[in-house]
Amino acid sequence: MKKIQMVDLKSQYDKIAATVNAGIQEVLDNTAYINGPQVHQFQKALEDYLGVKHVIPCANGTDALQIAMMGLGLQPGDEVITADFTFAATVEVIALLQLTPVLVDVDIDNMNISLEKIKAAITPKTKAIVPVHLFGRAANMDAIMELATAHNLFVIEDNAQAIGADFVSTNGTKAKVGTIGHVAATSFFPSKNLGCYGDGGAIFTNDDTLAHTIRGIVNHGMYERYHHDVVGVNSRLDSVQAAVLNAKLPFLNDYNSARRLAATKYNAALGSHPNIITPSFDANENDHVFHQYTLRIVDKDRNGLMQHLLNKGIPCAIYYPIPLHSQKAYVDVRYKEEDFPVTNQLVQEVISLPMHTELDDEQIQFITDSVLEFLNQ
Ligand SMILES: *Cc1c(COP(=O)(O)O)cnc(C)c1O
């Protein structure tokens, strides 16, 4: 059996090596390392793929979130509501910009931000909501957009984990996640569903004015060369990374399908066990692109299971072990433990199994047998 990895980037690279190498060679030959033609080509290709008017590439997903918030003109003291159960980048940039993060609990069934908890957290100072499409599953954008419209709030989608996923509206229309809110941020960190070979990120929006503002912000606040109209940042996707992304974007749908197929096989093997809750998703819709495959282990020793898998050479991880409201950097007297029952429960129950585009049946069988072996002993 091929060695099991949490993410197998080498096997994925081997299949597209010729294209990737040729793309990188082209950058080396023409020496336009920054803002080369590869960056523009990627921007256009991603706009077409997503069906969004503007993609603005930048240096990483965390910058993308920060720049999106700067572009919207959020001011110190403005409250921004986001999920307690996610990667820290989201709350980090809110705090860095001296905005006020307001963490709220998530729903137990899909681990995404709870609409009821957002509603309860809205105050006259609230300016924006940041839903995270966690682990690759689309958050309920119908409900979030309706609530945002009613309260005149911006919606910034954190799409770092769900590029390529569709949100299927209750009226039947479909849109790629990251194209529904006012603005979205994504990451091309190597292990993300569309990853480059270093750092990379992008901001998406359908708003022409906002896109213009953001293009200046990523480039030192310049709209005209050496005229600095606003305080900006330096955040660029380099040409080598764009060349890698150009080689990989045509395969994004295949990559996401491979992840969904692996999830289907995991679910089939594990779904009926009384101590396991498998992630649910719609077999007919691209609503979940499985950045992570995350189980809940109920009434059994989750940490013992993790150790058992690691002992057998199966990598696994706890995403995320500590709620953001309990992180030293983000503690706040306003947070009460009873406001976060679901996140507090999830951090005890979740375990993520290997998930990538190259998992084969033999590996999946070995992983699921090993999970069941521990739970049945
Ligand atoms: C990865 C990630 C980010 C940050 O992306 P980087 O490119 O690593 O800066 C932000 N939010 C979420 C939910 C992520 O998973």
Side-chain angles (χ1 to χ4, degrees), residues 60-79:
N60 58 66
T62 308
D63 275 9
L65 283 164
Q66 176 180 333
I67 292 158
M69 289 177 203
M70 292 170 76
L72 291 171
L74 300 183
Q75 295 299 318
D78 287 351
E79 293 179 2

Side-chain angles (χ1 to χ4, degrees), residues 1-6 262 265-266 269-270 276 293 295 305 308-310 312-316 351-356 358-375:
M1 186 173 61
K2 208 165 70 174
K3 185 175 183 297
I4 299 173
Q5 299 180 63
M6 198 67 186
K265 291 173 183 169
Y266 274 139
L270 301 173
I276 301 176
Y293 180 82
L295 298 174
L305 169 62
H308 174 78
L309 296 177
L310 294 173
K312 298 192 82 168
I314 301 170
C316 53
I351 182 166
S352 297
L353 300 182
M355 174 49 79
H356 53 79
E358 313 300 317
L359 280 168
D360 63 36
D361 286 350
E362 192 187 7
Q363 292 176 317
I364 291 175
Q365 180 85 47
F366 182 68
I367 295 165
T368 54
D369 284 352
S370 302
V371 170
L372 297 173
E373 177 184 56
F374 178 82
L375 296 179

Side-chain angles (χ1 to χ4, degrees), residues 59-63 65 86-87 89-90 132 134 158 160-161 186-189 192 199-201 291 320:
N60 58 66
T62 308
D63 275 9
L65 283 164
T86 179
F87 182 58
T90 325
V132 183
L134 197 72
D158 181 340
Q161 300 189 357
T186 201
S187 164
F188 306 121
F189 184 81
K192 302 283 156 107
D199 275 309
H291 176 60
Y320 296 93

Side-chain angles (χ1 to χ4, degrees), residues 60-63 65-66 69 80 82-97 101-103 130 132 134-135 158 160-161 192 318-331 335 343:
N60 58 66
T62 308
D63 275 9
L65 283 164
Q66 176 180 333
M69 289 177 203
V80 180
T82 193
D84 189 36
F85 187 62
T86 179
F87 182 58
T90 325
V91 65
E92 180 177 55
V93 300
I94 297 171
L96 267 176
L97 292 172
V102 178
L103 296 168
V130 187
V132 183
L134 197 72
F135 301 149
D158 181 340
Q161 300 189 357
K192 302 283 156 107
I318 310 303
Y319 301 122
Y320 296 93
I322 303 169
L324 291 178
H325 79 268
S326 309
Q327 298 283 359
K328 263 192 216 158
Y330 305 111
V331 289
Y335 298 143
T343 301

